[in-house]
Amino acid sequence: MDSYYARIVTDDARLGAFEKAITRAVRADDVVLDLGCGIGTYAFYAARAGARRVHGVELESIVEVGRTLAKRNGLEVDLTHGDVRDLVLPEPVTLLVFEDFLANLLEGPARELLDLVRETLLAPDARILPQRAR
């Protein structure tokens, strides 16, 4: 695992905050999408929280590590290696988890990506995590 992902998975404060937020947000009937899922950490939290279906999509091949981890831990998650622009899901997403602070979250490419995902993959009443950042 490269140093970027190693740093992410050892940030206990950040991961703990996301786990808590995802656990509070997930409903039993949710279809969750972890956008830019990396190794699938947030997807795993959603699955453990009881979401009906959980998807993750990641451009980098690191997602293969996530597939192995999901299998070893008995987690039902669908992790896709590819571009979200090409992603086709069987039903609308009701909870989107997207953390891309490096792309300024709500400006530039991240904003364009969120707009596209809203138009093509989200249910009209979908929720997005995080709702705010500081």
Side-chain angles (χ1 to χ4, degrees):
M1 187 180 315
D2 71 23
S3 63
Y4 170 75
Y5 289 103
R7 205 171 46 249
I8 287 174
V9 299
T10 58
D11 186 344
D12 293 335
R14 185 176 131 278
L15 291 178
F18 266 91
E19 183 175 21
K20 188 175 180 180
I22 290 168
T23 299
R24 278 195 311 247
V26 166
R27 300 174 187 155
D29 61 340
D30 271 331
V31 175
V32 177
L33 174 61
D34 180 358
L35 178 57
C37 68
I39 63 170
T41 305
Y42 300 153
F44 300 161
Y45 293 160
R48 287 185 183 134
R52 182 170 54 82
R53 181 164 287 148
V54 181
H55 303 278
V57 62
E58 172 61 50
L59 276 172
E60 305 296 327
S61 61
I62 193 77
V63 75
E64 302 301 332
V65 173
R67 287 181 181 158
T68 300
L69 291 171
K71 190 173 190 175
R72 285 185 185 167
N73 289 284
L75 295 170
E76 292 290 325
V77 296
D78 176 27
L79 300 179
T80 300
H81 178 202
D83 192 323
V84 72
R85 293 170 187 91
D86 302 322
L87 189 65
V88 176
L89 298 177
E91 58 192 319
V93 170
T94 58
L95 179 62
L96 174 67
V97 180
F98 178 58
E99 179 205 11
D100 192 352
F101 295 112
L102 296 177
N104 299 318
L105 193 58
L106 297 178
E107 297 177 4
R111 181 54 186 235
E112 292 167 16
L113 192 60
L114 278 172
D115 289 343
L116 174 79
V117 169
R118 265 195 194 108
E119 292 170 16
T120 60
L121 297 173
L122 298 189
D125 59 346
R127 292 132 28 239
I128 300 174
L129 282 179
Q131 294 178 353
R132 62 184 178 271
R134 58 183 159 113

